[in-house]
């Protein structure tokens, strides 16, 4: 199979598909910001809404709600679009809140027939004074509206996430390349074990080439992750357990490179580096999958944060995400197969040279 | 079963006897420890518990690398052939690991006492710190013994292999430092139990792999 080329073509075609589909698909409409973000109870609220990827001037029907929970919702009395991406909505905030607390956060939902609905969680904070505390009256006043006849966004679009915005597309590169790296490193682990069992030099070439490509993939994964971190968290590197542990994991594998380049004796090099890489892979599992899950982490998938869950992934993202994993793995195998052939040719060249002398 | 234990016990006794007879190995490590502690004491005018702990673990790291590196030195050359024909590789790696474990625990207790002597004891719960020392020392012993076992075959630079072991022990040190921080405060950390379990888990995992891989490598 490795000698045929259909899987290489498949990998490249899928990767092109991921780039084109992943970068050209528009995002669903979203609300970027509102002002003001706090309002006392019992006042008229004139809310300036900025949105993204919307055509509000074409809309025939525009509606907006502020929602505390599924029961307590108020609707905007008047709503005007001053441009495609800015709205002005008038709300009458009731005098009491339906909570025992002095403030409540409300989600803003804007629905238009031109684009579909858009949502901003925790958009406006409504506060009340101690005198206004009246949970029953508040509960009645806030039940003035229900959200119905919502327009769904049409066409194939990626979900809009507030801090992610357009960078949601990085999912196909950052996450997929880590998956592909794992596939390559598991391959390397398999060939390391095979080498120790059978002692065939070819297995060592397989293992070392796969590991090298895996390390390069890891570096790329870290670089793409850094750009994502810069965009969403504000810095290229933050002091977070997942990031630090992945740095340690890469250090372990960089030591593998040092190890291989330090030894002259071929058999010894192969044996020791095979043993080291099995040891390193075993150390990698707790580093990347156990420790970050048990401690607090900002990285999705750890410390109680969801990853690849309903909230983050929808089916349009999956259409590019799974091909991205497969294509990057296939391309990785292709690159390593080139490295393997190069090493094997070098090996047989030196053997022939030694024979001729 | 009994023969396993007695053979391991004899190997440990042999290492202990050689080390005490030669002397220089133990004394050089002790000198190293004392010098390090003294430098730290002279250079820090004020010592926070945090820096105390970090310095403790960094000293322990380098002292134990130095101590463990020599563990397969005696078995090079002809004697390795003798051992190869006589012994079960699992006995060898277990005995070496246990011996180094005891050695590193002793060293860490000495560092702890010296640091108390020159500065203070930052721990409100010394028991927690003691358990941390045991687990971290065991992790060090497993990783460095395995790595120096790799260099058993002559011609490999032993210092280089020790350097390769350092990223492998990083998670152990980081966890140790985390638990030690919580041992300095009066409030107990809610994640203390999981951290201990994690440390034990990593130790066990590394033990299993080092035993399996060593018995494969022993053949060569």
């Amino acid at each position: 199979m490795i000698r045929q080329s259909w899987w290489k073509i498949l990998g490249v075609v899928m990767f092109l598909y991921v780039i084109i589909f992943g970068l050209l698909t528009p995002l669903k409409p979203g609300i970027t910001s509102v002002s003001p973000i706090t309002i006392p109870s019992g006042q008229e609220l004139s809310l300036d809404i900025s949105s993204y990827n919307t055509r509000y001037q074409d809309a025939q029907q525009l509606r907006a709600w502020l929602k505390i929970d599924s029961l307590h919702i108020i609707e905007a009395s008047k709503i005007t679009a001053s441009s495609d991406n800015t709205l002005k909505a008038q709300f009458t905030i009731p005098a009491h809140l339906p909570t025992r607390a002095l403030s409540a956060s409300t989600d803003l939902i804007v629905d238009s027939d031109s684009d579909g609905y858009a949502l901003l969680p925790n958009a406006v904070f409504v506060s009340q004074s101690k005198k206004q505390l009246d949970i029953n009256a508040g509960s009645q006043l806030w039940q003035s509206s229900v959200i119905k006849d919502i327009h769904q966004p049409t066409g194939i679009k990626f979900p809009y996430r507030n801090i992610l915005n357009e960078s949601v597309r990085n999912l196909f590169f950052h996450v997929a390349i880590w998956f592909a790296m794992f596939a390559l490193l598991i391959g390397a682990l398999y060939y390391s074990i095979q080498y120790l069992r059978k002692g065939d030099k070819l297995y060592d070439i397989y293992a070392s080439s796969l590991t090298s490509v895996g390390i390069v993939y890891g570096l790329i994964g870290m670089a793409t992750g850094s750009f994502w971190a810069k965009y969403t968290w504000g810095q290229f590197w933050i002091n977070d357990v997942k990031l630090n542990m992945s740095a340690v994991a890469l250090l372990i594998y960089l030591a593998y490179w040092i190890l291989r380049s330090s030894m002259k004796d071929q058999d010894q090099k192969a044996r020791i580096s095979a043993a080291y890489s099995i040891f390193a892979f075993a150390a990698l599992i707790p580093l990347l999958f156990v420790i970050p899950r048990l401690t607090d982490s900002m990285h999705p998938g750890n410390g109680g944060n969801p990853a690849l869950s309903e909230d983050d992934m929808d089916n349009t993202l999956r259409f590019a995400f799974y091909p991205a994993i497969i294509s990057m793995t296939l391309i990785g195998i292709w690159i390593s197969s080139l490295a393997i052939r190069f090493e094997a040719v070098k090996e047989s060249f030196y053997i022939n040279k030694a024979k001729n002398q | 079963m009994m023969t396993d234990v007695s053979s391991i016990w004899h190997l440990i006794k042999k290492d202990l006897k050689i080390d005490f007879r030669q002397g220089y190995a133990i004394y050089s490590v002790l000198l190293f420890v004392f010098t390090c502690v003294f430098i730290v004491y002279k250079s820090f005018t004020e010592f926070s518990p945090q820096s105390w702990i970090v310095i403790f673990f960094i000293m322990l790291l380098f002292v134990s690398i130095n101590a463990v590196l020599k563990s397969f030195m005696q078995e090079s050359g002809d004697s390795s052939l003798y051992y190869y024909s006589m012994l079960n590789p699992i006995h060898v790696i277990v005995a070496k690991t246990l011996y180094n474990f005891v050695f590193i625990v002793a060293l860490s207790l000495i560092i702890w006492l010296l640091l108390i002597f020159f500065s203070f004891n930052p721990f409100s719960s010394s028991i927690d710190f003691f358990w941390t020392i045991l687990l971290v020392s065991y992790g060090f012993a497993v990783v460095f013994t395995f790595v120096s076992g790799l260099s058993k075959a002559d011609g490999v630079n032993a210092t280089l292999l020790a350097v390769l072991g350092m990223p492998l022990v990083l998670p152990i040190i980081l966890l140790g430092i985390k638990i030690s921080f919580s041992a300095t405060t009066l409030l107990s950390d809610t994640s203390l139990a999981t951290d201990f379990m994690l440390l034990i888990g990593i130790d066990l995992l590394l033990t299993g792999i080092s035993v399996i891989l060593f018995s494969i490598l022993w053949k060569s």
Side-chain angles (χ1 to χ4, degrees):
Chain A
M1 192 200 110
I2 200 113
R3 294 198 177 277
Q4 287 171 349
S5 53
W6 60 268
W7 56 273
K8 298 171 189 167
I9 296 167
L10 181 72
V12 172
V13 168
M14 272 174 134
F15 193 65
L16 285 177
Y17 158 76
V18 167
I19 290 179
I20 293 167
F21 180 76
L23 296 186
L24 292 186
T25 307
L27 293 186
K28 281 177 187 167
I31 302 164
T32 48
S33 64
V34 295
S35 117
I37 53 169
T38 57
I39 180 87
S41 280
Q43 290 196 3
E44 282 293 316
L45 168 65
S46 165
L47 196 64
D48 290 316
I49 303 168
S50 325
S51 62
Y52 186 77
N53 264 5
T54 50
R55 291 165 291 133
Y56 284 144
Q57 284 189 321
D58 299 344
Q60 303 295 320
Q61 186 195 16
L62 269 173
R63 292 175 300 167
W65 294 273
L66 283 177
K67 171 182 153 191
I68 292 180
D69 51 45
S70 55
L71 260 182
H72 300 109
I73 300 157
I74 55 170
E75 193 173 347
S77 52
K78 185 167 164 261
I79 183 160
T80 46
S82 46
S83 80
D84 268 349
N85 289 328
T86 46
L87 285 179
K88 209 175 230 333
Q90 300 286 337
F91 290 94
T92 310
I93 306 289
H96 308 286
L97 279 176
T99 60
R100 285 180 213 286
L102 289 179
S103 71
S105 72
T106 59
D107 302 342
L108 174 70
I109 297 149
V110 178
D111 182 61
S112 75
D113 56 348
S114 57
D115 303 291
Y117 73 94
L119 177 128
L120 180 67
N122 303 329
V124 180
F125 288 86
V126 182
S127 61
Q128 61 182 357
S129 64
K130 275 213 172 105
K131 271 184 253 166
Q132 287 172 304
L133 266 179
D134 186 344
I135 186 162
N136 292 326
S139 185
Q140 279 191 349
L141 286 169
W142 272 86
Q143 289 183 31
S144 64
S145 175
V146 280
I147 301 173
K148 59 181 180 194
D149 304 330
I150 287 276
H151 296 92
Q152 291 295 332
T154 49
I156 300 169
K157 286 176 177 172
F158 290 144
Y160 178 90
R161 295 261 127 208
N162 262 90
I163 45 170
L164 292 181
N165 300 341
E166 294 281 357
S167 79
V168 73
R169 302 165 201 284
N170 201 358
L171 177 80
F172 314 131
F173 303 100
H174 170 66
V175 185
I177 209 156
W178 275 100
F179 273 75
M181 179 199 79
F182 260 95
L184 294 177
L185 290 182
I186 288 170
L189 176 75
Y190 172 76
Y191 285 116
S192 297
I193 295 171
Q194 286 296 313
Y195 178 79
L196 286 183
R197 284 179 61 200
K198 300 191 176 141
D200 188 344
K201 179 83 177 107
L202 197 61
Y203 290 128
D204 174 56
I205 295 177
Y206 278 16
S208 66
S209 307
L210 282 168
T211 308
S212 302
V213 179
I215 294 170
V216 173
Y217 266 38
L219 289 173
I220 299 173
M222 214 169 241
T224 48
S226 273
F227 281 109
W228 216 351
K230 177 73 182 168
Y231 193 79
T232 53
W233 299 332
Q235 271 177 302
F236 285 116
W237 195 269
I238 61 165
N239 189 10
D240 184 86
V241 60
K242 182 88 169 181
L243 279 69
N244 291 336
M245 291 298 151
S246 56
V248 173
L250 263 176
L251 279 183
I252 292 178
Y253 271 96
L254 286 178
Y256 175 87
W257 260 352
I258 300 173
L259 179 72
R260 284 189 73 84
S261 56
S262 71
M263 280 179 293
K264 291 260 164 21
D265 185 310
Q266 291 296 318
D267 281 342
Q268 189 187 40
K269 178 199 223 170
R271 214 179 49 248
I272 291 179
S273 62
Y276 184 84
S277 90
I278 296 171
F279 211 73
F281 192 85
L284 196 70
I285 301 295
L287 279 175
L288 290 182
F289 296 115
V290 183
I291 298 178
R293 256 155 239 261
L294 291 177
T295 46
D296 294 329
S297 170
M298 280 171 79
H299 193 283
N302 306 292
N305 283 341
L308 310 183
S309 64
E310 286 293 306
D311 288 347
D312 299 322
M313 284 288 271
D314 78 345
N315 285 330
T316 47
L317 285 175
R318 287 201 176 89
F319 268 115
F321 178 57
Y322 296 137
I325 297 174
I326 297 168
S327 67
M328 283 186 192
T329 311
L330 288 178
I331 291 174
I333 295 172
W334 188 7
I335 300 172
S336 6
S337 80
L338 290 179
I340 290 164
R341 280 155 67 183
F342 178 66
E343 286 296 318
V345 166
K346 222 162 67 175
E347 191 77 14
S348 61
F349 173 74
Y350 284 123
I351 289 171
N352 284 336
K353 211 173 162 189
K355 271 183 193 159
N356 293 338
Q357 273 172 0
Chain B
M1 191 61 213
M2 269 324 283
T3 53
D4 288 349
V5 173
S6 75
S7 131
I8 290 170
W9 175 238
H10 279 296
L11 278 168
I12 295 177
K13 258 202 326 212
K14 179 218 77 176
D15 275 341
L16 197 67
K17 268 184 193 157
I18 290 178
D19 272 354
F20 269 98
R21 215 171 277 161
Q22 289 183 336
Y24 74 90
I26 289 180
Y27 297 129
S28 65
V29 168
L30 288 180
L31 188 65
F32 187 104
V33 169
F34 188 82
T35 318
C36 280
V37 175
F38 197 71
I39 290 171
V40 166
Y41 156 70
K42 287 296 283 179
S43 21
F44 275 86
T45 46
E46 232 174 289
F47 229 169
S48 71
Q50 266 84 354
S51 47
W52 193 105
I53 289 166
V54 173
I55 281 169
F56 175 87
F57 278 104
I58 290 177
M59 270 201 286
L60 185 60
L61 174 68
F62 283 97
V63 169
S64 40
I65 286 178
N66 273 331
V68 176
L69 262 192
K70 61 170 181 42
S71 52
F72 283 91
M73 295 281 190
Q74 296 127 12
E75 278 89 14
S76 59
D78 295 342
S79 56
S80 79
L81 207 61
Y82 174 65
Y83 283 123
Y84 177 53
S85 56
M86 289 289 287
L87 295 170
N88 182 338
I90 296 178
H91 295 171
V92 176
I93 187 77
V94 171
K96 292 277 184 199
T97 308
L98 287 180
Y99 176 70
N100 286 328
F101 167 59
V102 174
F103 200 83
I104 295 174
V105 168
L107 283 176
S108 52
L109 291 178
I110 291 170
I111 299 176
W112 192 5
L113 288 177
L114 279 175
L115 277 174
I116 291 176
F117 181 74
F118 281 115
S119 58
F120 62 99
N121 186 16
F123 299 106
S124 56
S125 155
S126 293
I127 290 291
D128 277 356
F129 185 63
F130 180 70
W131 286 114
T132 318
I133 284 181
L134 285 188
L135 292 173
V136 170
S137 307
Y138 183 72
F140 280 10
V142 172
V143 172
F144 290 131
T145 310
F146 175 72
V147 154
S148 67
L150 286 182
S151 69
K152 169 179 68 76
D154 32 13
V156 179
N157 187 345
T159 324
L160 179 85
L161 280 172
V163 173
L164 297 180
M166 280 167 76
L168 290 174
V169 295
L170 243 167
I172 300 172
I173 298 185
L174 290 179
L175 268 175
I177 288 177
K178 189 175 169 227
I179 299 175
S180 311
F181 278 165
S182 73
T184 58
T185 54
L186 287 171
L187 293 168
S188 72
D189 192 340
T190 46
S191 65
L192 198 64
T194 36
D195 285 341
F196 268 123
M197 291 311 289
L198 204 57
L199 205 48
I200 293 171
I202 293 177
D203 281 354
L204 289 180
L205 182 75
L206 293 177
T207 311
I209 294 166
S210 95
V211 167
I212 293 166
L213 284 181
F214 187 79
S215 46
I216 296 170
L217 288 172
W218 179 251
K219 289 180 209 139
S220 51

